[in-house]
Amino acid sequence: MTGFSPTRLVRYAMAHPIGERQRLRTLARIARWQLRARLIGGPRVHPWVGGSQLVVERGMTGATGNVYFGLHEFADMGFVLHMLRGGDLFVDIGANIGSFTILAAKVAGAEVIAFEPDTHTVATLARNIAANAVEGRVAVHTSALGDREQDLWFTSGMDTINHVADADTPGAVRVHGTTLDTVLAGRVPLLIKIDVEGHEPAVVAGAQKTLASPDLKAVEVETVTQDIADMLAGHGFAQRHYDPFTRRLSQTPVHAANNSLYVRDESFLVQRLQTAPSVDVYGIAV
């Protein structure tokens, strides 16, 4: 939501699944945050859902969305909350400041392997992990994932839009590149989230052994090319859409989603999703 005009922000808020159910309260949260950020500034530890906390400051796009709506990426985050349990493994590729990581580790109680190459962002990710006392459940890797072992160039200081870049990109830094299969070394997560600003095809290509395991039940991926769709289909995944209010998977969209959801073994998923405990999101049971 960086760069939103006030009018566009209000329209976005009123269309959000939480915002449309409590319009005045949502507008009040936005106004309070905007006023505080301008008058006081600096990071703030914000009480979040399920007893979690987020360290937030002005300019953090996704994090401020969570302040406004509880779950900024409503369908994607709702699926993570309802899917995971204690003892499960979640892989967060493109973890940024750790919103999904904290939901998985603190609220759902799962183990998390988080990937975030930008050193500035990793510092905030570490603050969020510490604020929620989940250091024992989260392993942070600063490598950039791809389809093979090679150094990559990565932008820095661009919040949610840091990305793999060319060597001559201003401000880009060299980072170690590896594959998901290499890092996991045979471990298989229940759920993977991939949000790497267009680098998803290389990440998926480097995760073929992981994708082939039947223990992996779902993948949330931001950018879906035809190659990615074909690879996921080849491993038995089908695209579905999730409604956290009803806990149902469907073939047609219900809520706007940042990531595309691919699943397999739907009977397992249905049971998981339907039996997950509810989470309070600003007074709304999700």
Side-chain angles (χ1 to χ4, degrees):
M1 291 177 294
T2 300
F4 271 21
S5 67
T7 300
R8 189 180 173 200
L9 176 56
V10 169
R11 287 176 180 169
Y12 181 93
M14 296 302 93
H16 189 278
I18 296 297
E20 68 180 1
R21 284 166 173 75
Q22 40 179 229
R23 298 189 172 210
L24 292 179
R25 290 176 62 189
T26 298
L27 292 175
R29 285 192 295 270
I30 293 172
R32 283 196 301 270
W33 171 259
Q34 293 284 338
L35 184 62
R36 183 196 178 282
R38 284 165 170 75
L39 293 180
I40 302 175
R44 174 193 175 194
V45 179
H46 178 75
W48 200 25
V49 300
S52 63
Q53 302 181 102
L54 276 184
V55 180
V56 189
E57 55 188 306
R58 187 180 180 186
M60 290 182 174
T61 306
T64 52
N66 289 323
V67 172
Y68 301 157
F69 311 116
L71 298 176
H72 181 192
E73 299 176 39
F74 182 69
D76 307 330
M77 291 178 162
F79 185 82
V80 169
L81 284 172
H82 295 156
M83 174 72 168
L84 296 172
R85 304 284 193 278
D88 292 337
L89 176 61
F90 170 60
V91 171
D92 189 0
I93 303 171
N96 196 253
I97 68 161
S99 297
F100 281 82
T101 288
I102 298 307
L103 291 177
K106 177 68 174 183
V107 184
E111 183 180 352
V112 181
I113 299 176
F115 292 87
E116 179 50 55
D118 178 45
T119 55
H120 295 90
T121 307
V122 165
T124 304
L125 171 61
R127 283 192 302 180
N128 278 315
I129 292 169
N132 288 278
V134 291
E135 294 93 336
R137 293 188 196 139
V138 182
V140 177
H141 289 258
T142 57
S143 298
L145 294 182
D147 58 358
R148 60 189 182 276
E149 294 283 333
Q150 63 171 345
D151 285 350
L152 296 168
W153 291 90
F154 201 79
T155 62
S156 181
M158 297 177 66
D159 191 37
T160 58
I161 59 172
N162 279 315
H163 57 276
V164 172
D166 297 324
D168 58 356
T169 300
V173 296
R174 189 193 296 269
V175 298
H176 174 250
T178 186
T179 72
L180 182 62
D181 286 340
T182 298
V183 175
L184 293 183
R187 296 189 68 193
V188 181
L190 187 74
L191 171 63
I192 297 173
K193 185 217 81 181
I194 311 172
D195 184 350
V196 289
E197 301 300 314
H199 195 58
E200 286 85 355
V203 173
V204 172
Q208 292 304 300
K209 291 180 180 178
T210 304
L211 293 171
S213 172
D215 293 334
L216 175 64
K217 304 298 185 183
V219 180
E220 290 188 345
V221 56
E222 184 188 38
T223 302
V224 180
T225 63
Q226 189 60 53
D227 284 345
I228 288 177
D230 290 344
M231 279 190 278
L232 291 173
H235 288 296
F237 288 92
Q239 186 174 12
R240 293 292 183 264
H241 304 272
Y242 186 58
D243 180 3
F245 288 129
T246 65
R247 310 284 185 91
R248 291 177 181 170
L249 294 165
S250 66
Q251 296 187 34
T252 56
V254 180
H255 304 290
N258 186 62
N259 302 313
S260 296
L261 174 64
Y262 286 82
V263 305
R264 63 183 170 197
D265 196 354
E266 285 196 55
S267 60
F268 171 87
L269 294 176
V270 167
Q271 191 276 336
R272 267 288 177 120
L273 298 168
Q274 291 292 333
T275 58
S278 295
V279 177
D280 182 277
V281 181
Y282 291 146
I284 298 175
V286 173

